[in-house]
Amino acid sequence: MGTLAGKTALVTGGSRGIGRATAERLGREGAVVAVHYGRNAGAAEEAVGAIRAAGGTAFAVHAELGQDGDVETLWAEFDRQVLKHCDRAGLDILVNNAGITPRGHIEETTPAVFDEVFAVNVRAPFFLVQQGLKRLRNGGRIINVSSGATRIALTDIIAYGMTKGAIDTFTRTLAKAMGDRGITVNAVAPGIIDTDLNASWLKGNEAAEQSAAQLSALGRVGRPEDVADVIAFLASDDARWVTGQVIDATGGSQL
Ligand code: NAP
């Protein structure tokens, strides 16, 4: 039996990249997985199909984050679907992974871009947790996906880095607020990971891949599974005494 048998998990942005690898790993551990997505229903169905093909249980949840009513839509859809796949409502593990990374130095970042990245990366997880608290069982897990960009000063994604700084503060403070319910709250901070998010400059560009690999002490670009495995640890009982932490999963980038 998997380490997460009997648990229900929701992974935002679980249809692609780090979220998909996380959803698949949690599914292999026996959790029922709600795979959230924004626009690409096909990718969500593929992720759900992969989890089912591996013997797991999963369903897709649609809600575009960063808009009015986003969180209400997501939870309504989750509530509607979960009882079809599980014998009880509610959940045990919430992974706040969905995020966007608009590029821009301070001179180029417009108020609209600034507002959008904060709405998707900060406002949505904040209110998803707020409205999810009555669904999250005591002893549960909240895992937020942060970024190495809070430690490494990346001037071309300045607003994005600020959103992840907010996530780190949210993580630490929420951990204190949730302690009496036995809910742990942690964050994982990846470095450069080979996902669609970086495809425009990384995919098929050997020079870019080599220079990205050199940033890591381990000499390669990260894979979605490198992060998903850390998230799975934080979701497991083995991590029961870890809370309020940001775990660096950058492969030792720019140490
Ligand atoms: P990705 O491959 O671009 O996948 C993003 C996922 O989030 C997709 O499932 C996407 O669903 C969903 N999503 C994005 N915007 C959304 C919105 N407005 N509403 C609803 N869903 C939305 O991203 P990734 O590289 O796996 O990154 C995942 C997380 O890791 C992000 O928080 C990112 O900041 C963080 N991170 C990534 C890296 C990296 O190098 N890749 C490094 C550090 C941190 P749809 O396709 O349906 O829109």
Side-chain angles (χ1 to χ4, degrees), residues 13-19 36-41 63-66 97-101 120-121 145-148 160 164 190-193 195-198:
S15 56
R16 295 189 288 113
I18 294 167
H36 160 264
Y37 70 99
R39 292 186 181 168
N40 189 338
E64 207 164 327
L65 302 176
N97 162 77
I100 54 172
T101 309
V120 175
N121 292 8
V145 179
S146 178
S147 170
Y160 168 80
K164 297 302 188 178
I192 299 170
I193 307 294
T195 67
D196 294 345
L197 196 149
N198 295 315

PDB file of all heavy atoms in Angstrom, residues 13-19 36-41 63-66 97-101 120-121 145-148 160 164 190-193 195-198, ligand 1:
ATOM      1  N   GLY A  13      -2.476  23.538 -11.019  1.00  0.00           N
ATOM      2  CA  GLY A  13      -1.549  23.431 -12.142  1.00  0.00           C
ATOM      3  C   GLY A  13      -0.969  22.029 -12.230  1.00  0.00           C
ATOM      4  O   GLY A  13       0.197  21.850 -12.582  1.00  0.00           O
ATOM      5  N   GLY A  14      -1.802  21.037 -11.944  1.00  0.00           N
ATOM      6  CA  GLY A  14      -1.335  19.647 -11.924  1.00  0.00           C
ATOM      7  C   GLY A  14      -1.292  19.013 -13.308  1.00  0.00           C
ATOM      8  O   GLY A  14      -0.955  17.835 -13.446  1.00  0.00           O
ATOM      9  N   SER A  15      -1.612  19.783 -14.325  1.00  0.00           N
ATOM     10  CA  SER A  15      -1.731  19.211 -15.667  1.00  0.00           C
ATOM     11  C   SER A  15      -0.419  19.185 -16.433  1.00  0.00           C
ATOM     12  O   SER A  15      -0.272  18.425 -17.385  1.00  0.00           O
ATOM     13  CB  SER A  15      -2.755  20.012 -16.467  1.00  0.00           C
ATOM     14  OG  SER A  15      -2.384  21.380 -16.500  1.00  0.00           O
ATOM     15  N   ARG A  16       0.527  20.031 -16.041  1.00  0.00           N
ATOM     16  CA  ARG A  16       1.789  20.109 -16.792  1.00  0.00           C
ATOM     17  C   ARG A  16       2.954  20.323 -15.824  1.00  0.00           C
ATOM     18  O   ARG A  16       2.764  20.721 -14.689  1.00  0.00           O
ATOM     19  CB  ARG A  16       1.749  21.269 -17.810  1.00  0.00           C
ATOM     20  CG  ARG A  16       0.718  21.076 -18.889  1.00  0.00           C
ATOM     21  CD  ARG A  16       0.837  22.106 -20.012  1.00  0.00           C
ATOM     22  NE  ARG A  16       0.406  23.435 -19.627  1.00  0.00           N
ATOM     23  CZ  ARG A  16       1.222  24.486 -19.528  1.00  0.00           C
ATOM     24  NH1 ARG A  16       2.510  24.360 -19.793  1.00  0.00           N
ATOM     25  NH2 ARG A  16       0.758  25.668 -19.164  1.00  0.00           N
ATOM     26  N   GLY A  17       4.163  20.075 -16.324  1.00  0.00           N
ATOM     27  CA  GLY A  17       5.383  20.443 -15.609  1.00  0.00           C
ATOM     28  C   GLY A  17       5.508  19.849 -14.213  1.00  0.00           C
ATOM     29  O   GLY A  17       5.246  18.660 -13.984  1.00  0.00           O
ATOM     30  N   ILE A  18       5.931  20.684 -13.274  1.00  0.00           N
ATOM     31  CA  ILE A  18       6.166  20.245 -11.896  1.00  0.00           C
ATOM     32  C   ILE A  18       4.868  19.718 -11.284  1.00  0.00           C
ATOM     33  O   ILE A  18       4.860  18.720 -10.558  1.00  0.00           O
ATOM     34  CB  ILE A  18       6.723  21.428 -11.058  1.00  0.00           C
ATOM     35  CG1 ILE A  18       8.119  21.822 -11.559  1.00  0.00           C
ATOM     36  CG2 ILE A  18       6.739  21.089  -9.571  1.00  0.00           C
ATOM     37  CD1 ILE A  18       8.630  23.163 -11.019  1.00  0.00           C
ATOM     38  N   GLY A  19       3.760  20.394 -11.592  1.00  0.00           N
ATOM     39  CA  GLY A  19       2.463  19.979 -11.047  1.00  0.00           C
ATOM     40  C   GLY A  19       2.082  18.587 -11.519  1.00  0.00           C
ATOM     41  O   GLY A  19       1.598  17.764 -10.739  1.00  0.00           O
ATOM     42  N   HIS A  36      -5.799  20.045 -11.035  1.00  0.00           N
ATOM     43  CA  HIS A  36      -6.369  21.331 -11.465  1.00  0.00           C
ATOM     44  C   HIS A  36      -5.636  21.853 -12.707  1.00  0.00           C
ATOM     45  O   HIS A  36      -4.437  21.640 -12.881  1.00  0.00           O
ATOM     46  CB  HIS A  36      -6.256  22.355 -10.319  1.00  0.00           C
ATOM     47  CG  HIS A  36      -6.355  23.762 -10.801  1.00  0.00           C
ATOM     48  ND1 HIS A  36      -5.251  24.538 -11.066  1.00  0.00           N
ATOM     49  CD2 HIS A  36      -7.441  24.515 -11.124  1.00  0.00           C
ATOM     50  CE1 HIS A  36      -5.650  25.715 -11.507  1.00  0.00           C
ATOM     51  NE2 HIS A  36      -6.970  25.727 -11.552  1.00  0.00           N
ATOM     52  N   TYR A  37      -6.372  22.585 -13.552  1.00  0.00           N
ATOM     53  CA  TYR A  37      -5.761  23.243 -14.718  1.00  0.00           C
ATOM     54  C   TYR A  37      -6.523  24.532 -15.015  1.00  0.00           C
ATOM     55  O   TYR A  37      -7.625  24.750 -14.494  1.00  0.00           O
ATOM     56  CB  TYR A  37      -5.766  22.312 -15.947  1.00  0.00           C
ATOM     57  CG  TYR A  37      -7.146  22.080 -16.522  1.00  0.00           C
ATOM     58  CD1 TYR A  37      -7.586  22.795 -17.633  1.00  0.00           C
ATOM     59  CD2 TYR A  37      -8.019  21.174 -15.924  1.00  0.00           C
ATOM     60  CE1 TYR A  37      -8.852  22.601 -18.157  1.00  0.00           C
ATOM     61  CE2 TYR A  37      -9.293  20.975 -16.447  1.00  0.00           C
ATOM     62  CZ  TYR A  37      -9.700  21.696 -17.562  1.00  0.00           C
ATOM     63  OH  TYR A  37     -10.965  21.510 -18.062  1.00  0.00           O
ATOM     64  N   GLY A  38      -5.909  25.368 -15.891  1.00  0.00           N
ATOM     65  CA  GLY A  38      -6.531  26.640 -16.243  1.00  0.00           C
ATOM     66  C   GLY A  38      -7.170  26.641 -17.611  1.00  0.00           C
ATOM     67  O   GLY A  38      -8.368  26.868 -17.761  1.00  0.00           O
ATOM     68  N   ARG A  39      -6.360  26.375 -18.633  1.00  0.00           N
ATOM     69  CA  ARG A  39      -6.877  26.517 -20.011  1.00  0.00           C
ATOM     70  C   ARG A  39      -6.778  25.257 -20.838  1.00  0.00           C
ATOM     71  O   ARG A  39      -7.558  25.051 -21.752  1.00  0.00           O
ATOM     72  CB  ARG A  39      -6.066  27.597 -20.740  1.00  0.00           C
ATOM     73  CG  ARG A  39      -6.322  28.961 -20.161  1.00  0.00           C
ATOM     74  CD  ARG A  39      -5.629  30.033 -20.970  1.00  0.00           C
ATOM     75  NE  ARG A  39      -5.883  31.322 -20.351  1.00  0.00           N
ATOM     76  CZ  ARG A  39      -5.261  32.424 -20.657  1.00  0.00           C
ATOM     77  NH1 ARG A  39      -4.350  32.441 -21.611  1.00  0.00           N
ATOM     78  NH2 ARG A  39      -5.557  33.551 -20.050  1.00  0.00           N
ATOM     79  N   ASN A  40      -5.756  24.434 -20.533  1.00  0.00           N
ATOM     80  CA  ASN A  40      -5.434  23.317 -21.414  1.00  0.00           C
ATOM     81  C   ASN A  40      -6.076  22.029 -20.894  1.00  0.00           C
ATOM     82  O   ASN A  40      -5.453  21.254 -20.165  1.00  0.00           O
ATOM     83  CB  ASN A  40      -3.904  23.197 -21.484  1.00  0.00           C
ATOM     84  CG  ASN A  40      -3.442  22.222 -22.542  1.00  0.00           C
ATOM     85  OD1 ASN A  40      -4.197  21.335 -22.948  1.00  0.00           O
ATOM     86  ND2 ASN A  40      -2.209  22.381 -22.984  1.00  0.00           N
ATOM     87  N   ALA A  41      -7.345  21.820 -21.297  1.00  0.00           N
ATOM     88  CA  ALA A  41      -8.080  20.644 -20.801  1.00  0.00           C
ATOM     89  C   ALA A  41      -7.433  19.349 -21.272  1.00  0.00           C
ATOM     90  O   ALA A  41      -7.413  18.344 -20.548  1.00  0.00           O
ATOM     91  CB  ALA A  41      -9.530  20.700 -21.287  1.00  0.00           C
ATOM     92  N   ALA A  63     -10.398  25.646 -13.406  1.00  0.00           N
ATOM     93  CA  ALA A  63     -10.661  27.006 -12.896  1.00  0.00           C
ATOM     94  C   ALA A  63      -9.483  27.879 -13.310  1.00  0.00           C
ATOM     95  O   ALA A  63      -8.332  27.538 -13.034  1.00  0.00           O
ATOM     96  CB  ALA A  63     -10.788  27.010 -11.375  1.00  0.00           C
ATOM     97  N   GLU A  64      -9.782  28.983 -13.984  1.00  0.00           N
ATOM     98  CA  GLU A  64      -8.694  29.878 -14.359  1.00  0.00           C
ATOM     99  C   GLU A  64      -8.412  30.821 -13.201  1.00  0.00           C
ATOM    100  O   GLU A  64      -9.307  31.564 -12.776  1.00  0.00           O
ATOM    101  CB  GLU A  64      -9.083  30.638 -15.629  1.00  0.00           C
ATOM    102  CG  GLU A  64      -7.856  31.034 -16.382  1.00  0.00           C
ATOM    103  CD  GLU A  64      -8.136  31.437 -17.808  1.00  0.00           C
ATOM    104  OE1 GLU A  64      -9.069  30.872 -18.427  1.00  0.00           O
ATOM    105  OE2 GLU A  64      -7.427  32.330 -18.278  1.00  0.00           O
ATOM    106  N   LEU A  65      -7.210  30.776 -12.695  1.00  0.00           N
ATOM    107  CA  LEU A  65      -6.857  31.572 -11.523  1.00  0.00           C
ATOM    108  C   LEU A  65      -6.466  32.992 -11.935  1.00  0.00           C
ATOM    109  O   LEU A  65      -6.054  33.234 -13.060  1.00  0.00           O
ATOM    110  CB  LEU A  65      -5.710  30.893 -10.759  1.00  0.00           C
ATOM    111  CG  LEU A  65      -5.990  29.466 -10.288  1.00  0.00           C
ATOM    112  CD1 LEU A  65      -4.754  28.850  -9.622  1.00  0.00           C
ATOM    113  CD2 LEU A  65      -7.177  29.424  -9.325  1.00  0.00           C
ATOM    114  N   GLY A  66      -6.603  33.898 -10.979  1.00  0.00           N
ATOM    115  CA  GLY A  66      -6.210  35.284 -11.241  1.00  0.00           C
ATOM    116  C   GLY A  66      -7.381  36.144 -11.673  1.00  0.00           C
ATOM    117  O   GLY A  66      -7.183  37.283 -12.094  1.00  0.00           O
ATOM    118  N   ASN A  97       0.686  25.010  -6.637  1.00  0.00           N
ATOM    119  CA  ASN A  97       1.771  24.956  -7.620  1.00  0.00           C
ATOM    120  C   ASN A  97       1.553  25.876  -8.817  1.00  0.00           C
ATOM    121  O   ASN A  97       2.526  26.401  -9.364  1.00  0.00           O
ATOM    122  CB  ASN A  97       1.923  23.498  -8.089  1.00  0.00           C
ATOM    123  CG  ASN A  97       2.696  23.391  -9.382  1.00  0.00           C
ATOM    124  OD1 ASN A  97       3.921  23.495  -9.401  1.00  0.00           O
ATOM    125  ND2 ASN A  97       1.990  23.219 -10.499  1.00  0.00           N
ATOM    126  N   ALA A  98       0.311  26.086  -9.241  1.00  0.00           N
ATOM    127  CA  ALA A  98       0.059  26.861 -10.469  1.00  0.00           C
ATOM    128  C   ALA A  98       0.711  28.234 -10.354  1.00  0.00           C
ATOM    129  O   ALA A  98       0.616  28.891  -9.318  1.00  0.00           O
ATOM    130  CB  ALA A  98      -1.432  27.004 -10.712  1.00  0.00           C
ATOM    131  N   GLY A  99       1.375  28.638 -11.406  1.00  0.00           N
ATOM    132  CA  GLY A  99       2.013  29.948 -11.362  1.00  0.00           C
ATOM    133  C   GLY A  99       2.426  30.385 -12.752  1.00  0.00           C
ATOM    134  O   GLY A  99       2.522  29.571 -13.678  1.00  0.00           O
ATOM    135  N   ILE A 100       2.657  31.679 -12.889  1.00  0.00           N
ATOM    136  CA  ILE A 100       3.129  32.229 -14.166  1.00  0.00           C
ATOM    137  C   ILE A 100       4.407  33.032 -13.905  1.00  0.00           C
ATOM    138  O   ILE A 100       4.629  33.516 -12.790  1.00  0.00           O
ATOM    139  CB  ILE A 100       2.065  33.122 -14.854  1.00  0.00           C
ATOM    140  CG1 ILE A 100       1.571  34.227 -13.901  1.00  0.00           C
ATOM    141  CG2 ILE A 100       0.900  32.271 -15.358  1.00  0.00           C
ATOM    142  CD1 ILE A 100       0.669  35.245 -14.577  1.00  0.00           C
ATOM    143  N   THR A 101       5.223  33.146 -14.952  1.00  0.00           N
ATOM    144  CA  THR A 101       6.515  33.835 -14.820  1.00  0.00           C
ATOM    145  C   THR A 101       6.681  34.858 -15.943  1.00  0.00           C
ATOM    146  O   THR A 101       7.434  34.626 -16.897  1.00  0.00           O
ATOM    147  CB  THR A 101       7.678  32.811 -14.878  1.00  0.00           C
ATOM    148  OG1 THR A 101       7.410  31.765 -13.948  1.00  0.00           O
ATOM    149  CG2 THR A 101       9.011  33.456 -14.509  1.00  0.00           C
ATOM    150  N   VAL A 120      -2.289  35.655  -9.763  1.00  0.00           N
ATOM    151  CA  VAL A 120      -2.179  34.207  -9.980  1.00  0.00           C
ATOM    152  C   VAL A 120      -1.281  33.563  -8.916  1.00  0.00           C
ATOM    153  O   VAL A 120      -1.615  32.517  -8.354  1.00  0.00           O
ATOM    154  CB  VAL A 120      -1.622  33.900 -11.400  1.00  0.00           C
ATOM    155  CG1 VAL A 120      -1.393  32.405 -11.584  1.00  0.00           C
ATOM    156  CG2 VAL A 120      -2.564  34.443 -12.465  1.00  0.00           C
ATOM    157  N   ASN A 121      -0.144  34.193  -8.644  1.00  0.00           N
ATOM    158  CA  ASN A 121       0.880  33.535  -7.800  1.00  0.00           C
ATOM    159  C   ASN A 121       0.690  33.764  -6.309  1.00  0.00           C
ATOM    160  O   ASN A 121       1.220  32.995  -5.513  1.00  0.00           O
ATOM    161  CB  ASN A 121       2.278  34.042  -8.185  1.00  0.00           C
ATOM    162  CG  ASN A 121       2.721  33.606  -9.564  1.00  0.00           C
ATOM    163  OD1 ASN A 121       1.939  33.051 -10.316  1.00  0.00           O
ATOM    164  ND2 ASN A 121       3.960  33.870  -9.921  1.00  0.00           N
ATOM    165  N   VAL A 145       4.561  26.060  -3.850  1.00  0.00           N
ATOM    166  CA  VAL A 145       5.732  26.048  -4.722  1.00  0.00           C
ATOM    167  C   VAL A 145       6.263  27.477  -4.837  1.00  0.00           C
ATOM    168  O   VAL A 145       5.587  28.368  -5.359  1.00  0.00           O
ATOM    169  CB  VAL A 145       5.427  25.424  -6.095  1.00  0.00           C
ATOM    170  CG1 VAL A 145       6.692  25.459  -6.970  1.00  0.00           C
ATOM    171  CG2 VAL A 145       4.961  23.979  -5.919  1.00  0.00           C
ATOM    172  N   SER A 146       7.449  27.657  -4.298  1.00  0.00           N
ATOM    173  CA  SER A 146       8.123  28.952  -4.309  1.00  0.00           C
ATOM    174  C   SER A 146       9.122  28.973  -5.465  1.00  0.00           C
ATOM    175  O   SER A 146       8.861  28.390  -6.523  1.00  0.00           O
ATOM    176  CB  SER A 146       8.798  29.157  -2.946  1.00  0.00           C
ATOM    177  OG  SER A 146       9.509  30.367  -2.916  1.00  0.00           O
ATOM    178  N   SER A 147      10.284  29.585  -5.256  1.00  0.00           N
ATOM    179  CA  SER A 147      11.294  29.634  -6.315  1.00  0.00           C
ATOM    180  C   SER A 147      12.647  30.017  -5.732  1.00  0.00           C
ATOM    181  O   SER A 147      12.715  30.784  -4.756  1.00  0.00           O
ATOM    182  CB  SER A 147      10.899  30.670  -7.365  1.00  0.00           C
ATOM    183  OG  SER A 147      11.977  30.872  -8.267  1.00  0.00           O
ATOM    184  N   GLY A 148      13.704  29.528  -6.372  1.00  0.00           N
ATOM    185  CA  GLY A 148      15.053  29.965  -6.030  1.00  0.00           C
ATOM    186  C   GLY A 148      15.235  31.461  -6.258  1.00  0.00           C
ATOM    187  O   GLY A 148      16.191  32.060  -5.765  1.00  0.00           O
ATOM    188  N   TYR A 160       7.983  38.620 -10.501  1.00  0.00           N
ATOM    189  CA  TYR A 160       7.792  37.194 -10.193  1.00  0.00           C
ATOM    190  C   TYR A 160       8.514  36.826  -8.894  1.00  0.00           C
ATOM    191  O   TYR A 160       7.938  36.174  -8.014  1.00  0.00           O
ATOM    192  CB  TYR A 160       8.316  36.357 -11.360  1.00  0.00           C
ATOM    193  CG  TYR A 160       8.450  34.891 -11.053  1.00  0.00           C
ATOM    194  CD1 TYR A 160       7.346  34.053 -11.092  1.00  0.00           C
ATOM    195  CD2 TYR A 160       9.695  34.337 -10.722  1.00  0.00           C
ATOM    196  CE1 TYR A 160       7.475  32.693 -10.802  1.00  0.00           C
ATOM    197  CE2 TYR A 160       9.829  32.988 -10.440  1.00  0.00           C
ATOM    198  CZ  TYR A 160       8.717  32.168 -10.477  1.00  0.00           C
ATOM    199  OH  TYR A 160       8.850  30.837 -10.186  1.00  0.00           O
ATOM    200  N   LYS A 164       7.073  35.211  -5.123  1.00  0.00           N
ATOM    201  CA  LYS A 164       7.524  34.019  -4.402  1.00  0.00           C
ATOM    202  C   LYS A 164       8.046  34.389  -3.012  1.00  0.00           C
ATOM    203  O   LYS A 164       7.971  33.592  -2.081  1.00  0.00           O
ATOM    204  CB  LYS A 164       8.575  33.272  -5.228  1.00  0.00           C
ATOM    205  CG  LYS A 164       8.027  32.743  -6.562  1.00  0.00           C
ATOM    206  CD  LYS A 164       6.834  31.797  -6.396  1.00  0.00           C
ATOM    207  CE  LYS A 164       6.433  31.145  -7.700  1.00  0.00           C
ATOM    208  NZ  LYS A 164       5.319  30.189  -7.539  1.00  0.00           N
ATOM    209  N   PRO A 190      12.164  25.540  -6.305  1.00  0.00           N
ATOM    210  CA  PRO A 190      12.962  24.961  -7.399  1.00  0.00           C
ATOM    211  C   PRO A 190      13.869  25.998  -8.049  1.00  0.00           C
ATOM    212  O   PRO A 190      13.622  27.202  -7.973  1.00  0.00           O
ATOM    213  CB  PRO A 190      11.907  24.507  -8.414  1.00  0.00           C
ATOM    214  CG  PRO A 190      10.576  24.692  -7.747  1.00  0.00           C
ATOM    215  CD  PRO A 190      10.767  25.705  -6.676  1.00  0.00           C
ATOM    216  N   GLY A 191      14.920  25.470  -8.722  1.00  0.00           N
ATOM    217  CA  GLY A 191      15.726  26.305  -9.612  1.00  0.00           C
ATOM    218  C   GLY A 191      15.195  26.147 -11.024  1.00  0.00           C
ATOM    219  O   GLY A 191      13.993  25.966 -11.216  1.00  0.00           O
ATOM    220  N   ILE A 192      16.086  26.158 -12.009  1.00  0.00           N
ATOM    221  CA  ILE A 192      15.615  26.035 -13.397  1.00  0.00           C
ATOM    222  C   ILE A 192      15.213  24.586 -13.654  1.00  0.00           C
ATOM    223  O   ILE A 192      16.024  23.667 -13.513  1.00  0.00           O
ATOM    224  CB  ILE A 192      16.715  26.457 -14.389  1.00  0.00           C
ATOM    225  CG1 ILE A 192      17.097  27.922 -14.154  1.00  0.00           C
ATOM    226  CG2 ILE A 192      16.251  26.235 -15.826  1.00  0.00           C
ATOM    227  CD1 ILE A 192      18.341  28.359 -14.914  1.00  0.00           C
ATOM    228  N   ILE A 193      13.946  24.402 -14.037  1.00  0.00           N
ATOM    229  CA  ILE A 193      13.410  23.063 -14.296  1.00  0.00           C
ATOM    230  C   ILE A 193      12.966  23.005 -15.758  1.00  0.00           C
ATOM    231  O   ILE A 193      12.399  23.980 -16.279  1.00  0.00           O
ATOM    232  CB  ILE A 193      12.200  22.771 -13.364  1.00  0.00           C
ATOM    233  CG1 ILE A 193      12.551  23.020 -11.883  1.00  0.00           C
ATOM    234  CG2 ILE A 193      11.696  21.349 -13.576  1.00  0.00           C
ATOM    235  CD1 ILE A 193      13.587  22.094 -11.286  1.00  0.00           C
ATOM    236  N   THR A 195      10.615  22.589 -18.014  1.00  0.00           N
ATOM    237  CA  THR A 195       9.161  22.526 -18.214  1.00  0.00           C
ATOM    238  C   THR A 195       8.786  23.498 -19.345  1.00  0.00           C
ATOM    239  O   THR A 195       9.637  24.261 -19.826  1.00  0.00           O
ATOM    240  CB  THR A 195       8.385  22.959 -16.950  1.00  0.00           C
ATOM    241  OG1 THR A 195       8.628  24.355 -16.737  1.00  0.00           O
ATOM    242  CG2 THR A 195       8.804  22.174 -15.716  1.00  0.00           C
ATOM    243  N   ASP A 196       7.504  23.502 -19.698  1.00  0.00           N
ATOM    244  CA  ASP A 196       7.028  24.413 -20.752  1.00  0.00           C
ATOM    245  C   ASP A 196       7.352  25.869 -20.430  1.00  0.00           C
ATOM    246  O   ASP A 196       7.534  26.690 -21.332  1.00  0.00           O
ATOM    247  CB  ASP A 196       5.504  24.287 -20.910  1.00  0.00           C
ATOM    248  CG  ASP A 196       5.097  22.915 -21.418  1.00  0.00           C
ATOM    249  OD1 ASP A 196       5.987  22.173 -21.904  1.00  0.00           O
ATOM    250  OD2 ASP A 196       3.906  22.575 -21.309  1.00  0.00           O
ATOM    251  N   LEU A 197       7.393  26.156 -19.126  1.00  0.00           N
ATOM    252  CA  LEU A 197       7.624  27.531 -18.686  1.00  0.00           C
ATOM    253  C   LEU A 197       8.950  28.081 -19.228  1.00  0.00           C
ATOM    254  O   LEU A 197       9.080  29.271 -19.499  1.00  0.00           O
ATOM    255  CB  LEU A 197       7.630  27.515 -17.157  1.00  0.00           C
ATOM    256  CG  LEU A 197       7.483  28.776 -16.354  1.00  0.00           C
ATOM    257  CD1 LEU A 197       6.779  28.428 -15.051  1.00  0.00           C
ATOM    258  CD2 LEU A 197       8.821  29.387 -16.060  1.00  0.00           C
ATOM    259  N   ASN A 198       9.940  27.190 -19.383  1.00  0.00           N
ATOM    260  CA  ASN A 198      11.254  27.609 -19.864  1.00  0.00           C
ATOM    261  C   ASN A 198      11.514  27.176 -21.304  1.00  0.00           C
ATOM    262  O   ASN A 198      12.621  27.366 -21.810  1.00  0.00           O
ATOM    263  CB  ASN A 198      12.356  27.020 -18.959  1.00  0.00           C
ATOM    264  CG  ASN A 198      12.280  27.590 -17.562  1.00  0.00           C
ATOM    265  OD1 ASN A 198      12.117  28.789 -17.378  1.00  0.00           O
ATOM    266  ND2 ASN A 198      12.371  26.732 -16.559  1.00  0.00           N
TER     267      ASN A 198
HETATM  268  P1  NAP B   1       4.219  25.111 -16.397  1.00  0.00           P
HETATM  269  O1  NAP B   1       4.916  23.946 -16.985  1.00  0.00           O
HETATM  270  O2  NAP B   1       4.085  26.363 -17.180  1.00  0.00           O
HETATM  271  O3  NAP B   1       2.749  24.630 -15.899  1.00  0.00           O
HETATM  272  C1  NAP B   1       1.932  25.555 -15.283  1.00  0.00           C
HETATM  273  C2  NAP B   1       0.706  24.876 -14.725  1.00  0.00           C
HETATM  274  O4  NAP B   1      -0.059  25.864 -14.010  1.00  0.00           O
HETATM  275  C3  NAP B   1      -0.201  24.322 -15.791  1.00  0.00           C
HETATM  276  O5  NAP B   1      -0.871  23.198 -15.270  1.00  0.00           O
HETATM  277  C4  NAP B   1      -1.182  25.472 -16.027  1.00  0.00           C
HETATM  278  O6  NAP B   1      -2.454  25.026 -16.492  1.00  0.00           O
HETATM  279  C5  NAP B   1      -1.327  26.049 -14.635  1.00  0.00           C
HETATM  280  N1  NAP B   1      -1.639  27.482 -14.660  1.00  0.00           N
HETATM  281  C6  NAP B   1      -0.815  28.489 -15.024  1.00  0.00           C
HETATM  282  N2  NAP B   1      -1.475  29.664 -14.956  1.00  0.00           N
HETATM  283  C7  NAP B   1      -2.737  29.374 -14.550  1.00  0.00           C
HETATM  284  C8  NAP B   1      -3.888  30.155 -14.295  1.00  0.00           C
HETATM  285  N3  NAP B   1      -3.893  31.476 -14.453  1.00  0.00           N
HETATM  286  N4  NAP B   1      -5.004  29.531 -13.878  1.00  0.00           N
HETATM  287  C9  NAP B   1      -5.016  28.187 -13.713  1.00  0.00           C
HETATM  288  N5  NAP B   1      -3.966  27.384 -13.955  1.00  0.00           N
HETATM  289  C10 NAP B   1      -2.839  27.978 -14.369  1.00  0.00           C
HETATM  290  O7  NAP B   1       4.897  25.553 -15.013  1.00  0.00           O
HETATM  291  P2  NAP B   1       6.045  24.851 -14.133  1.00  0.00           P
HETATM  292  O8  NAP B   1       7.350  25.188 -14.710  1.00  0.00           O
HETATM  293  O9  NAP B   1       5.673  23.446 -13.885  1.00  0.00           O
HETATM  294  O10 NAP B   1       5.916  25.694 -12.770  1.00  0.00           O
HETATM  295  C11 NAP B   1       5.079  25.282 -11.723  1.00  0.00           C
HETATM  296  C12 NAP B   1       5.390  26.127 -10.491  1.00  0.00           C
HETATM  297  O11 NAP B   1       6.793  26.036 -10.201  1.00  0.00           O
HETATM  298  C13 NAP B   1       5.100  27.611 -10.662  1.00  0.00           C
HETATM  299  O12 NAP B   1       4.584  28.131  -9.462  1.00  0.00           O
HETATM  300  C14 NAP B   1       6.464  28.210 -10.933  1.00  0.00           C
HETATM  301  O13 NAP B   1       6.555  29.554 -10.532  1.00  0.00           O
HETATM  302  C15 NAP B   1       7.340  27.323 -10.069  1.00  0.00           C
HETATM  303  N6  NAP B   1       8.740  27.304 -10.489  1.00  0.00           N
HETATM  304  C16 NAP B   1       9.082  26.826 -11.716  1.00  0.00           C
HETATM  305  C17 NAP B   1      10.424  26.815 -12.096  1.00  0.00           C
HETATM  306  C18 NAP B   1      10.852  26.322 -13.440  1.00  0.00           C
HETATM  307  O14 NAP B   1      12.037  26.525 -13.792  1.00  0.00           O
HETATM  308  N7  NAP B   1      10.006  25.675 -14.232  1.00  0.00           N
HETATM  309  C19 NAP B   1      11.386  27.316 -11.218  1.00  0.00           C
HETATM  310  C20 NAP B   1      11.000  27.797  -9.968  1.00  0.00           C
HETATM  311  C21 NAP B   1       9.676  27.782  -9.620  1.00  0.00           C
HETATM  312  P3  NAP B   1      -2.951  25.371 -18.008  1.00  0.00           P
HETATM  313  O15 NAP B   1      -1.929  24.804 -18.923  1.00  0.00           O
HETATM  314  O16 NAP B   1      -4.275  24.723 -18.137  1.00  0.00           O
HETATM  315  O17 NAP B   1      -3.038  26.862 -18.067  1.00  0.00           O
END
